[in-house]
Amino acid sequence: MTFEYEATVADRGVDLAFDIAPGETVALLGPNGAGKSTVLAVTAGLLRPDVGRVTLDGRPLTVRGHRERDLHVPPHDRQVSLLAQEPLLFPHLSVLDNVAFGPRSRGDSRSGSRAAADQWLREVGIEELADRRPAQLSGGQAQRAAVARALAADPKLLLLDEPMAALDVAVTPALRQTLRRVLAERTVVLVTHDALDALLLADRVIVIDGGEIVDQGDSSEVLARPRSRFTAQIAGLNMIPGTWRDHAVLTAAGMRVEGHPGDPQPHEGDPVVAVFPPSAVSVFLDAPGGSPRNALEVTITHLEPHGGQIRVRTAELSAEITAQAAAELDLAPGSRAFFVIKATEIAVYGT
Amino acid sequence: MTFEYEATVADRGVDLAFDIAPGETVALLGPNGAGKSTVLAVTAGLLRPDVGRVTLDGRPLTVRGHRERDLHVPPHDRQVSLLAQEPLLFPHLSVLDNVAFGPRSRGDSRSGSRAAADQWLREVGIEELADRRPAQLSGGQAQRAAVARALAADPKLLLLDEPMAALDVAVTPALRQTLRRVLAERTVVLVTHDALDALLLADRVIVIDGGEIVDQGDSSEVLARPRSRFTAQIAGLNMIPGTWRDHAVLTAAGMRVEGHPGDPQPHEGDPVVAVFPPSAVSVFLDAPGGSPRNALEVTITHLEPHGGQIRVRTAELSAEITAQAAAELDLAPGSRAFFVIKATEIAVYGT
Amino acid sequence: MTGQPVRVGVPTWIFFPAVAGAAFVLLPLVAIVLRTPWSRFFDLLGSQASQEALLLSLRTSGTSTLLCIAFGVPMALVLARTSFRGQGILRSLVLLPLVLPPVVGGIALLYTFGRRGLLGETFEVLGIQVAFSTTAVVLAQTFVAMPFLVVSLEGALRTAGQKYEVVAATLGAGPTTVFRRVTLPLVLPGLASGAVLAFARSLGEFGATITFAGSLQGVTRTLPLEIYLLRETDAQAAVALSLVLVVVAVLVIGFARQGKASL
Amino acid sequence: MTGQPVRVGVPTWIFFPAVAGAAFVLLPLVAIVLRTPWSRFFDLLGSQASQEALLLSLRTSGTSTLLCIAFGVPMALVLARTSFRGQGILRSLVLLPLVLPPVVGGIALLYTFGRRGLLGETFEVLGIQVAFSTTAVVLAQTFVAMPFLVVSLEGALRTAGQKYEVVAATLGAGPTTVFRRVTLPLVLPGLASGAVLAFARSLGEFGATITFAGSLQGVTRTLPLEIYLLRETDAQAAVALSLVLVVVAVLVIGFARQGKASL
Amino acid sequence: GSDGADGAEGTGVEDTTLTVYAASSLTATFEQIGEEFEASHDGVEVELNFAGSSDLVAQLQEGAPADVFASADEANMEKLTAEGLEGADPVTFASNTLEIAVPPGNPAGVQGLDDLAGDDVNLVICAPEVPCGAATQKVAESAGVELSPVSEEQSVTDVLAKVTTGEADAGLVYVTDVIAAGEDVEGVEFPESSSAVNVYPVATLADSENADLAQEFVDLVLAEGGQSILQDAGFAQAP
Ligand SMILES: Nc1ncnc2c1ncn2[C@@H]1O[C@H](COP(=O)(O)OP(=O)(O)OP(=O)(O)O)[C@@H](O)[C@H]1O
Ligand SMILES: Nc1ncnc2c1ncn2[C@@H]1O[C@H](COP(=O)(O)OP(=O)(O)OP(=O)(O)O)[C@@H](O)[C@H]1O
Ligand SMILES: [Mg+2]
Ligand SMILES: [Mg+2]
């Protein structure tokens, strides 16, 4: 009784497999072009993979190149509904009728589906736009209507491709709460670029890069202990990959980074990562001498304000220091500096 | 030698005026449906306002219902280029030719415009997709191509409607730096939902709500001392509006909030706001007695992780406390609690 | 008063060939109007033969337009939305009534539905006599007009693309629901212009009708046939009567376009 | 092997009327093929009269299709992309050659370009003699075929909408650039199907040609005219010759569609 | 053979419809003859189907329900008799000869057949495949005149249209056509026309369900009443 996915789309270089338990919400993270929308398209039946097998509750939806007979259940018959990256509201229907489209197609009465649609419009906060045509909506309003339409379809498996895109800060927290409530009992695949969405809405995270799964697991776990560069980026953590040599991480550039290895203890020669938050980094202009700390020489690329602090970025790493400290150090893009991190602040684990 | 805007679009309820100095970048902030895209559409000449006057470098672009003769310079003749909210890449041209379209229309040679396009694709990080058709791009890749196309057109005035939408966290910082460099000397109007974009890319911020300007000024100034509810939200600050009575802010609900009024000192009866960061809020389960602090009784709506801390949200306010504190207080959505803020942490100023 | 979306201008030079083209089409119409014996125009209009012919023309053209819609919409849909081996050939074949000289089309219909035709015996057994009846007129008109509807609707279906249909399917709408609630409403302008073309072609149909249906007053003699006959005896009157056809066409087309925003 | 985008299915029941419609159009063609005296088919093809007529038909239809494109594209653009008072009436008027019986169309052309026509004197002064020349054939075909191109292209332009044109304008492209680099490429399928319709109509044109241009072997006698004439003496041969027309049409249309993905 | 059009309820006789197929050049005369026939036959309705003779033959060959067929030439009637579709042997009921039609005022000054030779006159004739063209060819050959037409038309009507609009300076058509065209053209008679006389045959049809009535109609055409109508229109008596 789960959703099982396994498919290869050769010309997009997307080849991966995963399962989802009933009622589980999985966040799909990954850089642009990683293959997230491709996975959703295959699941919704909009794209036939080269080889693959997709089943929902034991029922095969797409089978190709397996020992079973090839099979492709048409999109409308899958009980899978998809909110695509573009809103694509039906231009000839009012906003209300757009949202009522799903219930109506499922066979609900006209008045019943309208009532349901009305309810969903209220949830996303655009009930007063019910009678408008899609062409008369702003970008964010259209996005909200599309979210309402996808939710109203009430499928067995719900696929959401960046549902919070184009929304303003005033509505995001409220909609996030709505989704949190609505998605709780459903089986959902949620594509997002936002770690907070992943943390709050998803039980599990799957990180894709270059068409492959590079990291996955419990949402908070994955975001706290990222194993891939992209996951670290989304979690806002610094990551230095290397090999475990002589109780330290040896990077490809030949640098040694000391940290405290977690459980299980890595073995000599294992590929490992050193991970630490920007707030654990102190910035100096000169290398501080003779202490058990890591000092990495870096070139600063830019400075950003970040929640009252200043984030100092280099090509690979970032540090968070007070505005005062930044002013005292007289940092500017192009400056050379040292990032100093206490070994105890660095987590090291195998990948 | 500036851009001057003043227009009313009655059926969208958008009516506002502002100026931009040459070389200045202005961020347009506002909730969904506020009228941001409408302002851009009028500026680009895609929408004729009911009444209005828009000039660029002293040249009237749109005049309607003024003492001068009505006038409407067609879009292609305005030297204004627009990146709209949808990427809308030409489906029949390759990505490279899409980006080369602007230079080519300006009269550059074929090879010259291709070279320029190639450069811009490199800037947004998709040079390897130059020969693809738009239909073969992922959502984020298409957005980046659209950004490249708008920048390549090299207009006098550049309008960008949410250029960072749909981009992943791996590319956002880099693209932000690119934009920062590229926009520095240009006259730009930038629509965004992100305070960081406003701070980093814009010299000045204009906040629109309900078709009117509700706040404007120097970017960091406005975000540090918001005067509207939406600006406070985008800046991540709490705001309580009220009137200045007896050296404190009296809210509509009859609550007194004490803070330290800034310059200029408000007069008795002035409309004022009390503004404080979530980190200035302590959370208690019982009202702490007899101290010169503000204690507001609230109902907690939800809890969110936020950069290692927990953000405790109510309908109107939010507090940031440690995870440990949250666990000790045993907070949950629906709990009643007291938000306590030291008067010195609250800034009060007139609106 | 309200904000107006601005259209992107058409290049100025384009008006020159446009006006030239319009003049080329309109001048002959003006010439006809100038040469029409207006004094006799209304007598002609009043004559029983003209009136019967006009009514018959309207009835049969209306019916054949409906038939074209009933069968042409499915054909266009199948051509635009499925792909199978030999589809290209099928599309060319469906286009053929366009090139076939109408008289040859009429002969082909006789070869099919006539007494000695392919289906003639079947029909004879059933006691149905198709040729030389009003039914034959409708069949002839449908035969020549069908390709117009199919070609223009297929074009509209292709231009409209499938993205909204796909969205509807992901919301659980089956093919019939998608067809009824998404496809049809979206291509309504294309369907309307296809229907107008088909109606106009039916209204002007002459060659296939006279061959397949004959020219019996009140039964098969439509307005173009009446005009042809009148031309034998009174060429000017024939031209005048064809103006009636023109006026009727303008009225019907204009009326049909009332409801729709675009053609 | 590669991932295939899936099409949304067509409702199954839609195949019934589609097949019925196709059968209705195709059966008469089959009937013709069955009745054709194949033994004589190739003799006919070889006869000088047929060959001259065929060549003339191809030449004139090709030219008139080009003329339809040259003048029809601007007309469609003006109708679809501008709005002015009386536009609706103008559109209906441009449609009229569709309803006008072709013979009346020919008369109208005579009234316009003939020796005693509206422009006749002008032409006579210029020393141009239009009537009874190949030019007249081209004019007649252009007159009847123009509305096809205009109507189907206008529909395509409306369906395609303006959003890409607007984007192009905001990138600084003037109207001519927009037309050439955005509008035209985007409606290419619509233009192609309009051109095919116009070509087919020109190829089958009979009434206006015989009335306006006359019928002289090698000069004005196109294939349809040759077919008509042949019919007087040998109906079966005429039918066989009209099959040639059909084959030519299929070849030309199929060839024209090679380059384009859609019709 | 009647079809659904005459749904009038009434006595048996009133249901009778007589369907006459006639060449389109007989439109005006046969309409008159038809009226006369209806006047003398209570409850009989004459339905006339006019088209080119070859169209009509094609229809009859495909089983068109008709009672009488009047052709504009003998060739088309022969196609019919070749298949044995005639009821009784065809009889000729009228004849017609050629005349030169010129636009009013005769701008090219055409006086006779000789003036039509050469390139200075825009001459339009019927193609040799159609009856009037065959006659034209015959006349030209017997007169030894080499015609160089600018167009060989498909039918008399098409020739006449070129002349009435002034497009052609002269056309060779039948006497009856010149009369029918009235003021739009002038006729120029020429003696050589007698070398080609076109005759019009009429026949009842084998499939006729009202063979007697059909024969009566043919009789009327041949009788005084019909003949005078035909002669008023310019037809000559059958030879
Ligand atoms: N027709 C197509 N539609 C979408 N992507 C395609 C297509 N053809 C090839 N691709 C490629 O497939 C890869 C995966 O694309 P996909 O749309 O799944 O990415 P994504 O993870 O959704 O990215 P984004 O975050 O930008 O939306 C990309 O590199 C893209 O360029
Ligand atoms: N044709 C139209 N296009 C866009 N908005 C329209 C239109 N007609 C009416 N509106 C209304 O005008 C108001 C302003 O819309 P606008 O698109 O300018 O908002 P916005 O600030 O860009 O919002 P968003 O952040 O959602 O893009 C909205 O309330 C919208 O519903
Ligand atoms: Mg995507
Ligand atoms: Mg917007």
Side-chain angles (χ1 to χ4, degrees), chain A residues 11-14 30-39 85 161-162 191 193, chain B residues 129 132 134-142 166 168:
Chain A
D11 71 339
R12 301 197 189 175
V14 178
N32 292 140
K36 306 179 297 293
S37 301
T38 304
V39 168
Q85 232 165 331
D161 206 342
E162 304 189 25
V191 171
H193 287 308
Chain B
L129 304 178
R132 295 249 190 114
Q136 299 172 323
L137 298 181
S138 78
Q141 291 165 343
D168 67 51

mmCIF file of all heavy atoms in Angstrom, chain A residues 11-14 30-39 85 161-162 191 193, chain B residues 129 132 134-142 166 168, ligand 1:
data_model
loop_
_atom_site.group_PDB
_atom_site.id
_atom_site.type_symbol
_atom_site.label_atom_id
_atom_site.label_comp_id
_atom_site.label_asym_id
_atom_site.label_seq_id
_atom_site.Cartn_x
_atom_site.Cartn_y
_atom_site.Cartn_z
ATOM 1 N N ASP A 11 16.913 10.886 -22.150
ATOM 2 C CA ASP A 11 17.380 12.132 -22.754
ATOM 3 C C ASP A 11 17.399 13.296 -21.773
ATOM 4 O O ASP A 11 17.930 14.355 -22.071
ATOM 5 C CB ASP A 11 16.569 12.481 -24.011
ATOM 6 C CG ASP A 11 15.180 12.912 -23.679
ATOM 7 O OD1 ASP A 11 14.711 12.575 -22.578
ATOM 8 O OD2 ASP A 11 14.542 13.585 -24.509
ATOM 9 N N ARG A 12 16.807 13.129 -20.614
ATOM 10 C CA ARG A 12 16.943 14.172 -19.606
ATOM 11 C C ARG A 12 17.945 13.753 -18.534
ATOM 12 O O ARG A 12 18.167 14.476 -17.571
ATOM 13 C CB ARG A 12 15.594 14.452 -18.934
ATOM 14 C CG ARG A 12 14.541 14.876 -19.927
ATOM 15 C CD ARG A 12 13.389 15.519 -19.227
ATOM 16 N NE ARG A 12 12.294 15.719 -20.157
ATOM 17 C CZ ARG A 12 11.123 16.182 -19.797
ATOM 18 N NH1 ARG A 12 10.886 16.455 -18.529
ATOM 19 N NH2 ARG A 12 10.180 16.351 -20.692
ATOM 20 N N GLY A 13 18.503 12.568 -18.706
ATOM 21 C CA GLY A 13 19.488 12.084 -17.751
ATOM 22 C C GLY A 13 18.927 11.932 -16.349
ATOM 23 O O GLY A 13 19.600 12.204 -15.361
ATOM 24 N N VAL A 14 17.675 11.504 -16.243
ATOM 25 C CA VAL A 14 17.043 11.357 -14.928
ATOM 26 C C VAL A 14 16.784 9.871 -14.702
ATOM 27 O O VAL A 14 16.104 9.225 -15.489
ATOM 28 C CB VAL A 14 15.726 12.151 -14.855
ATOM 29 C CG1 VAL A 14 15.063 11.941 -13.501
ATOM 30 C CG2 VAL A 14 15.985 13.620 -15.092
ATOM 31 N N GLY A 30 16.428 19.974 -4.935
ATOM 32 C CA GLY A 30 17.486 19.809 -5.925
ATOM 33 C C GLY A 30 17.655 21.064 -6.743
ATOM 34 O O GLY A 30 16.722 21.861 -6.852
ATOM 35 N N PRO A 31 18.847 21.225 -7.325
ATOM 36 C CA PRO A 31 19.090 22.427 -8.127
ATOM 37 C C PRO A 31 18.246 22.444 -9.396
ATOM 38 O O PRO A 31 17.635 21.439 -9.768
ATOM 39 C CB PRO A 31 20.583 22.355 -8.456
ATOM 40 C CG PRO A 31 20.974 20.936 -8.230
ATOM 41 C CD PRO A 31 20.031 20.378 -7.216
ATOM 42 N N ASN A 32 18.228 23.588 -10.068
ATOM 43 C CA ASN A 32 17.491 23.710 -11.327
ATOM 44 C C ASN A 32 18.003 22.681 -12.317
ATOM 45 O O ASN A 32 19.200 22.513 -12.479
ATOM 46 C CB ASN A 32 17.687 25.104 -11.948
ATOM 47 C CG ASN A 32 17.028 26.204 -11.136
ATOM 48 O OD1 ASN A 32 17.575 27.274 -10.980
ATOM 49 N ND2 ASN A 32 15.846 25.937 -10.612
ATOM 50 N N GLY A 33 17.055 22.010 -12.950
ATOM 51 C CA GLY A 33 17.440 21.020 -13.957
ATOM 52 C C GLY A 33 17.837 19.684 -13.378
ATOM 53 O O GLY A 33 18.312 18.813 -14.104
ATOM 54 N N ALA A 34 17.615 19.490 -12.080
ATOM 55 C CA ALA A 34 18.028 18.235 -11.463
ATOM 56 C C ALA A 34 17.153 17.073 -11.910
ATOM 57 O O ALA A 34 17.594 15.932 -11.958
ATOM 58 C CB ALA A 34 17.969 18.361 -9.945
ATOM 59 N N GLY A 35 15.896 17.345 -12.200
ATOM 60 C CA GLY A 35 15.003 16.281 -12.638
ATOM 61 C C GLY A 35 13.749 16.180 -11.784
ATOM 62 O O GLY A 35 12.999 15.205 -11.897
ATOM 63 N N LYS A 36 13.499 17.170 -10.935
ATOM 64 C CA LYS A 36 12.346 17.114 -10.047
ATOM 65 C C LYS A 36 11.035 17.096 -10.835
ATOM 66 O O LYS A 36 10.183 16.221 -10.631
ATOM 67 C CB LYS A 36 12.355 18.327 -9.097
ATOM 68 C CG LYS A 36 13.658 18.476 -8.320
ATOM 69 C CD LYS A 36 13.666 19.686 -7.410
ATOM 70 C CE LYS A 36 13.543 21.016 -8.133
ATOM 71 N NZ LYS A 36 14.715 21.346 -8.967
ATOM 72 N N SER A 37 10.879 18.044 -11.742
ATOM 73 C CA SER A 37 9.640 18.093 -12.514
ATOM 74 C C SER A 37 9.492 16.861 -13.393
ATOM 75 O O SER A 37 8.372 16.401 -13.653
ATOM 76 C CB SER A 37 9.598 19.347 -13.391
ATOM 77 O OG SER A 37 9.695 20.501 -12.590
ATOM 78 N N THR A 38 10.618 16.322 -13.826
ATOM 79 C CA THR A 38 10.569 15.106 -14.639
ATOM 80 C C THR A 38 9.969 13.954 -13.845
ATOM 81 O O THR A 38 9.126 13.202 -14.357
ATOM 82 C CB THR A 38 11.980 14.760 -15.141
ATOM 83 O OG1 THR A 38 12.501 15.882 -15.851
ATOM 84 C CG2 THR A 38 11.978 13.538 -16.021
ATOM 85 N N VAL A 39 10.382 13.813 -12.579
ATOM 86 C CA VAL A 39 9.832 12.760 -11.735
ATOM 87 C C VAL A 39 8.319 12.938 -11.597
ATOM 88 O O VAL A 39 7.554 11.970 -11.722
ATOM 89 C CB VAL A 39 10.522 12.781 -10.349
ATOM 90 C CG1 VAL A 39 9.772 11.907 -9.364
ATOM 91 C CG2 VAL A 39 11.964 12.347 -10.474
ATOM 92 N N GLN A 85 4.531 23.600 -12.537
ATOM 93 C CA GLN A 85 5.287 24.793 -12.188
ATOM 94 C C GLN A 85 4.618 26.062 -12.703
ATOM 95 O O GLN A 85 4.782 27.125 -12.128
ATOM 96 C CB GLN A 85 6.706 24.654 -12.760
ATOM 97 C CG GLN A 85 7.793 24.879 -11.725
ATOM 98 C CD GLN A 85 9.150 24.380 -12.219
ATOM 99 O OE1 GLN A 85 9.232 23.453 -13.007
ATOM 100 N NE2 GLN A 85 10.208 24.980 -11.742
ATOM 101 N N ASP A 161 4.446 21.085 -7.483
ATOM 102 C CA ASP A 161 5.722 21.610 -7.978
ATOM 103 C C ASP A 161 5.839 23.081 -7.582
ATOM 104 O O ASP A 161 5.231 23.946 -8.201
ATOM 105 C CB ASP A 161 5.793 21.436 -9.506
ATOM 106 C CG ASP A 161 7.228 21.337 -10.006
ATOM 107 O OD1 ASP A 161 8.139 21.737 -9.252
ATOM 108 O OD2 ASP A 161 7.436 20.846 -11.130
ATOM 109 N N GLU A 162 6.593 23.341 -6.563
ATOM 110 C CA GLU A 162 6.807 24.706 -6.060
ATOM 111 C C GLU A 162 5.498 25.452 -5.807
ATOM 112 O O GLU A 162 5.248 26.497 -6.399
ATOM 113 C CB GLU A 162 7.693 25.499 -7.025
ATOM 114 C CG GLU A 162 9.017 24.796 -7.268
ATOM 115 C CD GLU A 162 10.009 25.648 -8.051
ATOM 116 O OE1 GLU A 162 9.893 26.880 -7.995
ATOM 117 O OE2 GLU A 162 10.884 25.064 -8.695
ATOM 118 N N VAL A 191 7.735 19.506 -4.468
ATOM 119 C CA VAL A 191 9.006 20.065 -4.943
ATOM 120 C C VAL A 191 9.156 21.455 -4.361
ATOM 121 O O VAL A 191 8.209 22.249 -4.394
ATOM 122 C CB VAL A 191 9.027 20.146 -6.485
ATOM 123 C CG1 VAL A 191 10.246 20.915 -6.957
ATOM 124 C CG2 VAL A 191 9.005 18.756 -7.079
ATOM 125 N N HIS A 193 12.193 24.779 -3.165
ATOM 126 C CA HIS A 193 13.567 25.266 -3.067
ATOM 127 C C HIS A 193 13.808 25.817 -1.676
ATOM 128 O O HIS A 193 14.819 26.466 -1.428
ATOM 129 C CB HIS A 193 13.816 26.357 -4.113
ATOM 130 C CG HIS A 193 13.913 25.823 -5.492
ATOM 131 N ND1 HIS A 193 14.763 24.797 -5.824
ATOM 132 C CD2 HIS A 193 13.261 26.155 -6.644
ATOM 133 C CE1 HIS A 193 14.634 24.529 -7.117
ATOM 134 N NE2 HIS A 193 13.728 25.318 -7.631
ATOM 135 N N LEU B 129 23.284 25.300 -22.310
ATOM 136 C CA LEU B 129 21.942 25.057 -22.851
ATOM 137 C C LEU B 129 21.651 25.928 -24.068
ATOM 138 O O LEU B 129 20.514 25.970 -24.544
ATOM 139 C CB LEU B 129 20.885 25.318 -21.777
ATOM 140 C CG LEU B 129 21.052 24.523 -20.478
ATOM 141 C CD1 LEU B 129 19.969 24.918 -19.485
ATOM 142 C CD2 LEU B 129 20.966 23.033 -20.759
ATOM 143 N N ARG B 132 19.467 24.616 -26.928
ATOM 144 C CA ARG B 132 18.178 23.980 -26.668
ATOM 145 C C ARG B 132 17.019 24.876 -27.097
ATOM 146 O O ARG B 132 17.132 26.085 -27.164
ATOM 147 C CB ARG B 132 18.018 23.738 -25.168
ATOM 148 C CG ARG B 132 19.008 22.745 -24.617
ATOM 149 C CD ARG B 132 18.305 21.481 -24.218
ATOM 150 N NE ARG B 132 19.216 20.622 -23.486
ATOM 151 C CZ ARG B 132 19.056 20.319 -22.214
ATOM 152 N NH1 ARG B 132 18.025 20.791 -21.533
ATOM 153 N NH2 ARG B 132 19.906 19.527 -21.598
ATOM 154 N N PRO B 134 13.305 26.301 -25.908
ATOM 155 C CA PRO B 134 12.729 26.586 -24.576
ATOM 156 C C PRO B 134 11.917 25.423 -24.013
ATOM 157 O O PRO B 134 11.931 25.199 -22.801
ATOM 158 C CB PRO B 134 11.852 27.806 -24.834
ATOM 159 C CG PRO B 134 12.518 28.502 -25.957
ATOM 160 C CD PRO B 134 13.095 27.416 -26.825
ATOM 161 N N ALA B 135 11.242 24.662 -24.881
ATOM 162 C CA ALA B 135 10.420 23.565 -24.376
ATOM 163 C C ALA B 135 11.262 22.494 -23.717
ATOM 164 O O ALA B 135 10.741 21.660 -22.982
ATOM 165 C CB ALA B 135 9.608 22.951 -25.509
ATOM 166 N N GLN B 136 12.558 22.508 -23.968
ATOM 167 C CA GLN B 136 13.416 21.478 -23.380
ATOM 168 C C GLN B 136 14.143 21.953 -22.133
ATOM 169 O O GLN B 136 15.144 21.374 -21.739
ATOM 170 C CB GLN B 136 14.456 21.026 -24.408
ATOM 171 C CG GLN B 136 13.838 20.424 -25.649
ATOM 172 C CD GLN B 136 14.860 20.178 -26.719
ATOM 173 O OE1 GLN B 136 15.781 20.961 -26.903
ATOM 174 N NE2 GLN B 136 14.717 19.079 -27.419
ATOM 175 N N LEU B 137 13.660 23.046 -21.542
ATOM 176 C CA LEU B 137 14.303 23.558 -20.337
ATOM 177 C C LEU B 137 13.460 23.241 -19.114
ATOM 178 O O LEU B 137 12.242 23.109 -19.197
ATOM 179 C CB LEU B 137 14.464 25.072 -20.428
ATOM 180 C CG LEU B 137 15.340 25.624 -21.540
ATOM 181 C CD1 LEU B 137 15.391 27.134 -21.426
ATOM 182 C CD2 LEU B 137 16.729 25.028 -21.480
ATOM 183 N N SER B 138 14.111 23.150 -17.961
ATOM 184 C CA SER B 138 13.357 23.061 -16.718
ATOM 185 C C SER B 138 12.877 24.460 -16.350
ATOM 186 O O SER B 138 13.290 25.455 -16.951
ATOM 187 C CB SER B 138 14.243 22.505 -15.618
ATOM 188 O OG SER B 138 15.105 23.502 -15.135
ATOM 189 N N GLY B 139 11.973 24.545 -15.369
ATOM 190 C CA GLY B 139 11.403 25.827 -14.983
ATOM 191 C C GLY B 139 12.464 26.851 -14.611
ATOM 192 O O GLY B 139 12.447 27.989 -15.092
ATOM 193 N N GLY B 140 13.425 26.448 -13.785
ATOM 194 C CA GLY B 140 14.458 27.375 -13.339
ATOM 195 C C GLY B 140 15.389 27.776 -14.471
ATOM 196 O O GLY B 140 15.824 28.928 -14.541
ATOM 197 N N GLN B 141 15.680 26.834 -15.354
ATOM 198 C CA GLN B 141 16.538 27.151 -16.492
ATOM 199 C C GLN B 141 15.874 28.180 -17.400
ATOM 200 O O GLN B 141 16.512 29.120 -17.883
ATOM 201 C CB GLN B 141 16.848 25.872 -17.277
ATOM 202 C CG GLN B 141 17.750 24.904 -16.515
ATOM 203 C CD GLN B 141 17.759 23.506 -17.108
ATOM 204 O OE1 GLN B 141 16.889 23.143 -17.893
ATOM 205 N NE2 GLN B 141 18.733 22.707 -16.701
ATOM 206 N N ALA B 142 14.563 28.016 -17.604
ATOM 207 C CA ALA B 142 13.823 28.970 -18.439
ATOM 208 C C ALA B 142 13.861 30.351 -17.795
ATOM 209 O O ALA B 142 14.049 31.365 -18.470
ATOM 210 C CB ALA B 142 12.383 28.509 -18.630
ATOM 211 N N ALA B 166 11.685 30.859 -8.889
ATOM 212 C CA ALA B 166 11.948 29.517 -9.421
ATOM 213 C C ALA B 166 13.414 29.123 -9.420
ATOM 214 O O ALA B 166 13.769 28.058 -9.881
ATOM 215 C CB ALA B 166 11.380 29.355 -10.837
ATOM 216 N N ASP B 168 17.019 27.959 -7.736
ATOM 217 C CA ASP B 168 17.375 27.166 -6.569
ATOM 218 C C ASP B 168 18.395 27.898 -5.702
ATOM 219 O O ASP B 168 19.016 28.866 -6.130
ATOM 220 C CB ASP B 168 17.898 25.796 -7.013
ATOM 221 C CG ASP B 168 19.209 25.901 -7.747
ATOM 222 O OD1 ASP B 168 20.141 26.543 -7.231
ATOM 223 O OD2 ASP B 168 19.310 25.343 -8.851
HETATM 224 N N1 LIG F 1 10.920 18.696 -22.637
HETATM 225 C C1 LIG F 1 11.621 18.935 -21.507
HETATM 226 N N2 LIG F 1 11.031 19.498 -20.449
HETATM 227 C C2 LIG F 1 11.729 19.734 -19.331
HETATM 228 N N3 LIG F 1 13.021 19.466 -19.170
HETATM 229 C C3 LIG F 1 13.665 18.909 -20.176
HETATM 230 C C4 LIG F 1 12.999 18.632 -21.390
HETATM 231 N N4 LIG F 1 13.877 18.088 -22.215
HETATM 232 C C5 LIG F 1 15.023 18.044 -21.546
HETATM 233 N N5 LIG F 1 14.940 18.549 -20.302
HETATM 234 C C6 LIG F 1 16.052 18.605 -19.304
HETATM 235 O O1 LIG F 1 15.827 17.650 -18.279
HETATM 236 C C7 LIG F 1 16.445 18.048 -17.083
HETATM 237 C C8 LIG F 1 15.493 17.888 -15.911
HETATM 238 O O2 LIG F 1 14.496 18.872 -15.995
HETATM 239 P P1 LIG F 1 13.384 19.084 -14.897
HETATM 240 O O3 LIG F 1 12.360 19.982 -15.472
HETATM 241 O O4 LIG F 1 12.956 17.789 -14.370
HETATM 242 O O5 LIG F 1 14.227 19.879 -13.775
HETATM 243 P P2 LIG F 1 13.713 20.429 -12.378
HETATM 244 O O6 LIG F 1 14.442 19.661 -11.356
HETATM 245 O O7 LIG F 1 12.258 20.483 -12.322
HETATM 246 O O8 LIG F 1 14.330 21.916 -12.412
HETATM 247 P P3 LIG F 1 13.697 23.308 -11.932
HETATM 248 O O9 LIG F 1 13.996 23.466 -10.508
HETATM 249 O O10 LIG F 1 14.474 24.298 -12.757
HETATM 250 O O11 LIG F 1 12.241 23.288 -12.268
HETATM 251 C C9 LIG F 1 16.912 19.480 -17.292
HETATM 252 O O12 LIG F 1 18.287 19.480 -17.476
HETATM 253 C C10 LIG F 1 16.212 19.912 -18.559
HETATM 254 O O13 LIG F 1 17.014 20.799 -19.278
#
